[in-house]
Amino acid sequence: MKIEVDRELCTSVATCVAVAPNTFELDDEGIAIIKDPKGDDEATILQSAQSCPVNAIIISDDDGKQIHPPVK
Ligand code: SF4
C-alpha cells in the first residue's frame, strides 16, 4: 500500500493524525507528513484517509491502483 499527502490540499485539520497517530504527523508548516507508512494497520490508515475532509491523503495498492479517494 502506498500513501501520499497532497500538500496543496491539506488544511491542517489533523484528523488523519488523530485516527492514525503512528503513521501521520504534522510538519513545521502544519501539513501532514508520513512518519511511518507502516505505523498503523492498513484498515486504520485507510480510515484516516477517509477521515480527511479535503481528500488530501491518496492511498494506492501495491500495483499502483488508487484506492482512496475513489476513482470515478
Ligand atoms: S486530515 Fe487531511 S487536511 Fe487534515 S492534516 Fe490530515 S491530510 Fe491534512
Side-chain angles (χ1 to χ4, degrees):
M1 201 169 87
K2 188 170 153 231
I3 313 164
E4 292 168 276
V5 175
D6 187 329
R7 296 183 63 85
E8 302 288 313
L9 288 179
C10 177
T11 52
S12 314
V13 189
T15 39
C16 59
V17 181
V19 175
N22 300 310
T23 304
F24 298 100
E25 64 186 1
L26 297 189
D27 69 10
D28 294 344
E29 297 171 47
I31 304 293
I33 54 171
I34 297 148
K35 67 173 174 182
D36 181 358
K38 295 190 187 298
D40 297 278
D41 61 48
E42 293 197 353
T44 302
I45 294 170
L46 187 57
Q47 198 185 346
S48 73
Q50 290 163 342
S51 78
C52 176
V54 292
N55 278 346
I57 301 172
I58 300 142
I59 308 276
S60 308
D61 67 15
D62 291 334
D63 295 325
K65 186 168 170 283
Q66 188 171 312
I67 301 169
H68 182 84
V71 184
K72 293 184 187 116

